[in-house]
Amino acid sequence: MEKRYEGKAKVIYPGPEAGTLRVYFKDEATAFNGQKRGVIEGKGAINNRISATLFRYLEAQGIPTHFLRLLSEREMLVREVKIVPLEVIVRNRAAGSFARRYGVEEGQALPYPLVEFSLKNDALGDPLIYDDAALALGLVSGSELARIKELALQVNRLLKDYFAQRNLELVDFKLEFGKLLHPTDERGAIVLADELSPDTMRLWEMQSGEKMDKDRFRRDLGGVEEAYREVLRRVEAA
Ligand code: UDP
């Protein structure tokens, strides 16, 4: 099948029906805007299952997503969307680039969840972007931006609880949203897209603070595969 698009962690193919796409999850991992590369053995299959479980859970809680169903160990079927070119980051604690940017300690609690946007543009290194710039550049409309923020905060509340019940703290995560474009779908509606996995979120063991996400790869902490597998086990636990 002809590729529609190949990213760092996933490959997108046309789906079996009009308006659908097949997403294939790869084991390849990159960090620091592609400067660090590696393979996390089994990651593709793990992230496919973690994402599917979390998309299903969010759908059941009323969040519209692009997810339709699992197709195989490494593939899911999704609704075709036009991706909004913003990375939407939600933060419950200071970590990563936020902690560096503002010179605060990683792990510092935040009084309420923050929503932050980056422009999706690898050549520019995904620069931080503020609301007015996103609007002025025509990346989204005002009502779309408001809807994206509302959904991002709802997803945060739901996932934070979901992980807390599994003894994991959701520190921060990145979401991508898309607009439905197929005639049989509600055209223009904003839905959650991309993936939900330890590649795109920080998860810390509740008591010890041990990192259970891609920071193990970024920071050469070892035990990367084991952490991903443990997150899958807990995500799938009832
Ligand atoms: N993130 C992501 N893709 C990106 C940038 C960030 O999935 O291109 C996720 C990252 O895994 C973390 C959260 O978004 O859970 C916030 O990342 P941050 O801005 O702190 O950047 P980082 O420190 O990862 O460079």
Side-chain angles (χ1 to χ4, degrees):
M1 239 338 180
E2 205 182 310
K3 277 178 205 170
R4 191 67 85 75
Y5 171 82
E6 177 153 10
K8 285 173 280 206
K10 301 185 290 295
V11 190
I12 312 291
Y13 300 92
E17 303 123 47
T20 67
L21 296 171
R22 186 159 58 90
V23 180
Y24 176 94
F25 285 76
K26 303 194 280 189
D27 285 351
E28 277 76 17
T30 64
F32 313 117
N33 200 22
Q35 290 173 63
K36 182 183 172 94
R37 283 163 187 283
V39 167
I40 300 173
E41 213 67 55
K43 173 170 84 77
I46 291 171
N47 283 0
N48 186 35
R49 277 166 64 178
I50 292 175
S51 288
T53 304
L54 296 178
F55 278 134
R56 274 197 206 106
Y57 168 69
L58 292 174
E59 281 279 355
Q61 303 294 319
I63 304 289
T65 80
H66 72 159
F67 179 77
L68 291 170
R69 59 187 159 89
L70 280 175
L71 291 175
S72 72
E73 208 186 1
R74 282 172 182 274
E75 294 165 301
M76 60 170 63
L77 186 70
V78 303
R79 291 196 279 177
E80 186 176 7
V81 297
K82 185 174 187 327
I83 291 287
V84 174
L86 295 174
E87 300 206 329
V88 180
I89 291 167
V90 183
R91 302 182 183 276
N92 295 303
R93 279 184 191 276
S97 70
F98 182 91
R100 285 195 300 277
R101 188 187 314 136
Y102 301 120
V104 299
E105 206 176 322
E106 185 157 75
Q108 181 175 310
L110 297 168
Y112 42 82
L114 310 184
V115 180
E116 176 184 301
F117 301 106
S118 294
L119 175 65
K120 247 177 89 68
N121 184 319
D122 284 339
L124 298 176
D126 296 341
L128 198 64
I129 189 165
Y130 50 95
D131 292 33
D132 280 350
L135 294 172
L137 294 174
L139 307 177
V140 276
S141 70
S143 59
E144 286 165 355
L145 202 60
R147 177 66 174 150
I148 285 173
K149 273 193 206 169
E150 177 189 35
L151 285 172
L153 289 170
Q154 282 175 5
V155 169
N156 182 52
R157 281 192 290 275
L158 291 165
L159 290 186
K160 210 169 168 299
D161 284 356
Y162 189 92
F163 282 114
Q165 284 164 19
R166 288 154 178 86
N167 221 34
L168 290 168
E169 182 174 353
L170 179 61
V171 171
D172 60 27
F173 57 98
K174 185 259 301 186
L175 300 177
E176 293 187 24
F177 290 90
K179 284 191 259 182
L180 293 177
L181 41 75
H182 195 256
T184 60
D185 287 329
E186 187 198 338
R187 285 187 73 163
I190 299 274
V191 302
L192 182 62
D194 193 47
E195 66 177 276
L196 299 165
S197 77
D199 272 7
T200 59
M201 48 182 73
R202 288 195 167 92
L203 294 166
W204 294 356
E205 190 72 66
M206 202 63 93
Q207 279 78 29
S208 66
E210 194 188 348
K211 298 182 194 333
M212 300 293 284
D213 54 61
K214 200 163 109 177
D215 273 345
R216 301 205 71 83
F217 167 77
R218 291 190 190 96
R219 305 178 189 190
D220 297 317
L221 300 176
V224 188
E225 284 87 353
E226 291 77 3
Y228 276 62
R229 234 176 283 125
E230 179 60 17
V231 171
L232 171 65
R233 193 184 68 77
R234 293 196 204 177
V235 161
E236 288 185 343

